[in-house]
């Protein structure tokens, strides 16, 4: 379904000026490109207090210029509103944009493609646990990536890298090094009533094809099918995962022997181990471990969002 609501589209542009590389387009340049395409534009920085109030203003399209964190913050506030989101990827990993096939096109070309773009129905995950009820776009996971997240974030070599591609490459190298020392987690997990418990070094429940530093774990995700994609790497598959991480730049797909499960409802028994929900970690600094196991339930809200995906030239 093409986006042809009107000749002049009212666009709300939400941007994160700190995202991405130094040579990216500024918010002013992005707004100018939208205006030059014949649209009305209202701009809003996500770094300002009360930024989300702009979403109550009339608009036919919400454009988001930033990384996965920015896209996620906006998307969670547009659930069920049937307002399409146009991603203008400026972040480091850009997992959502990569899953949508947008990362190799510059912002001006994306804007030019809006009138004939397709609306893609996009599922949203729901994670219910000790944090309450929270939507996730990319995924929820435990194991090596979750444990390495704070450590990787603090790495000066990653923070100081000149480009997003270099930052992702360095993060993956550090993740591979961290993998050798990670202690397997005995995880009690049930997917659609099927017991998949095991000792895992990586366990990810995914709503997108990519997660973290561009980990290409679920190549077969179709974003409106209403399914969770579950990747579990057990203790005895550690070396296969290490080999995959070593060759990530070669564009290799996820090894068939490691497998991907699909289902609609995941139940986990949480005993206090670290969990990531998209780019957020749980437990947080002042949270206490439970005195007895607590249930985590992961489900899908089907077609909760709409993304605008311009056709390729």
């Amino acid at each position: 379904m093409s986006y042809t609501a009107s000749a002049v589209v009212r666009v709300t542009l939400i941007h994160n000026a700190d995202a991405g590389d130094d040579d990216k387009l500024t918010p002013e340049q992005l707004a100018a490109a939208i205006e030059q395409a014949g649209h009305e534009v209202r701009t809003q920085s996500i770094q300002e207090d009360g930024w989300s109030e702009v979403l109550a203003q009339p608009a036919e399209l919400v454009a988001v210029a930033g990384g996965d964190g920015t896209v996620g913050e906006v998307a969670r506030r547009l659930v069920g509103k049937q307002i399409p989101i146009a991603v203008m990827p400026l972040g480091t990993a850009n997992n959502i944009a990569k899953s949508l096939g947008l990362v190799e096109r510059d912002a001006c070309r994306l804007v030019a493609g809006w009138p004939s773009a397709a609306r893609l129905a996009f599922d949203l995950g729901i994670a219910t646990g000790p944090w309450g009820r929270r939507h996730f776009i990319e995924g929820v996971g435990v194991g090596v990536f979750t444990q390495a997240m704070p450590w990787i974030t603090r790495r000066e070599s990653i923070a100081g890298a000149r480009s997003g591609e270099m930052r992702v490459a360095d993060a993956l190298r550090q993740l591979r090094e961290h993998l050798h020392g990670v202690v397997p987690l005995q995880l009690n997990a049930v997917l659609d009533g099927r017991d998949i418990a095991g000792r895992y070094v990586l366990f990810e429940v995914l709503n997108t094809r990519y997660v973290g530093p561009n980990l290409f774990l679920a190549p077969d995700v179709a974003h409106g099918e209403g399914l969770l994609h579950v990747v579990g790497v057990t203790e005895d598959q550690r070396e296969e995962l290490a080999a995959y991480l070593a060759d990530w730049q070669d564009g290799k797909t996820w090894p068939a022997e490691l497998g991907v499960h699909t289902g609609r409802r995941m139940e986990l028994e949480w005993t206090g181990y670290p969990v990531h929900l998209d780019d957020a970690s749980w437990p947080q600094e002042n949270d206490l471990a439970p005195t007895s196991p607590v249930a985590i339930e992961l489900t899908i809200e089907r077609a909760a969002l709409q993304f605008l995906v311009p056709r390729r030239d």
Side-chain angles (χ1 to χ4, degrees):
M1 179 178 179
S2 298
Y3 183 75
T4 55
S6 62
V8 177
V9 176
R10 292 175 295 181
V11 180
T12 296
L13 170 63
I14 299 177
H15 59 84
N16 181 356
D18 288 343
D21 304 333
D22 293 338
D23 60 353
K24 66 181 182 296
L25 294 180
T26 66
E28 293 76 18
Q29 290 171 322
L30 293 172
I34 295 172
E35 290 177 338
Q36 288 169 11
H39 308 309
E40 297 177 1
V41 61
R42 177 190 297 111
T43 63
Q44 173 64 55
S45 170
I46 200 170
Q47 296 164 311
E48 295 178 0
D49 292 338
W51 67 268
S52 62
E53 294 175 6
V54 74
L55 296 176
Q57 300 298 316
E60 285 84 43
L61 178 66
V62 174
V64 184
D68 293 313
T70 304
V71 175
E73 289 291 340
V74 174
R76 291 183 189 98
R77 290 167 170 81
L78 293 177
V79 174
K81 295 187 177 180
Q82 302 301 306
I83 300 175
I85 302 169
V87 179
M88 308 172 82
L90 299 180
T92 297
N94 296 312
N95 290 319
I96 299 168
K98 284 179 72 69
S99 291
L100 296 171
L102 301 178
V103 293
E104 295 178 357
R105 290 177 273 179
D106 62 41
C108 293
R109 186 170 297 177
L110 290 173
V111 172
W114 286 350
S116 61
R119 290 194 189 196
L120 175 66
F122 199 97
D123 297 335
L124 199 59
I126 302 174
T128 305
W131 48 78
R133 185 177 185 271
R134 178 183 172 90
H135 282 109
F136 64 91
I137 296 183
E138 298 173 67
V140 175
V142 302
V144 60
F145 170 55
T146 309
Q147 295 178 31
M149 276 177 63
W151 183 72
I152 289 175
T153 302
R154 292 192 297 266
R155 290 279 301 184
E156 293 183 3
S157 60
I158 295 174
R162 293 188 298 275
S163 69
E165 184 175 317
M166 292 176 63
R167 288 192 290 274
V168 168
D170 199 3
L172 282 167
R173 282 195 296 270
Q174 304 304 330
L175 185 62
R176 189 170 70 251
E177 292 179 8
H178 198 83
L179 174 62
H180 294 294
V182 70
V183 177
L185 172 67
Q186 176 59 48
L187 186 65
N188 292 327
V190 177
L191 178 63
D192 288 351
R194 180 163 58 97
D195 187 357
I196 57 171
R199 287 177 57 79
Y200 291 102
V201 294
L202 176 82
F203 192 89
E204 294 287 333
V205 182
L206 300 165
N207 186 50
T208 54
R209 297 171 185 172
Y210 298 84
V211 71
N214 286 165
L215 293 175
F216 189 30
L217 301 185
D220 296 325
V221 167
H223 296 291
E225 66 183 356
L227 291 175
L228 297 165
H229 288 241
V230 183
V231 173
V233 179
T234 58
E235 181 177 12
D236 57 2
Q237 296 171 322
R238 188 193 304 255
E239 293 309 314
E240 287 92 332
L241 177 58
Y244 169 75
L245 293 177
D247 294 339
W248 73 274
Q249 287 178 311
D250 294 339
K252 294 176 65 175
T253 57
W254 184 242
E257 64 270 18
L258 294 180
V260 179
H261 305 290
T262 58
R264 301 185 184 277
R265 184 170 181 266
M266 169 65 70
E267 300 170 82
L268 301 174
E269 186 180 78
W270 186 65
T271 56
Y273 51 79
V275 180
H276 83 81
L277 296 85
D278 287 344
D279 58 356
S281 297
W282 185 274
Q284 299 174 350
E285 186 174 349
N286 296 321
D287 295 320
L288 299 176
T291 55
S292 59
V294 177
I296 294 176
E297 180 184 71
L298 307 176
T299 56
I300 284 287
E301 184 171 347
R302 190 167 186 176
L305 301 170
Q306 291 186 7
F307 283 97
L308 204 64
V309 182
R311 293 178 173 84
R312 290 189 177 274
D313 298 336

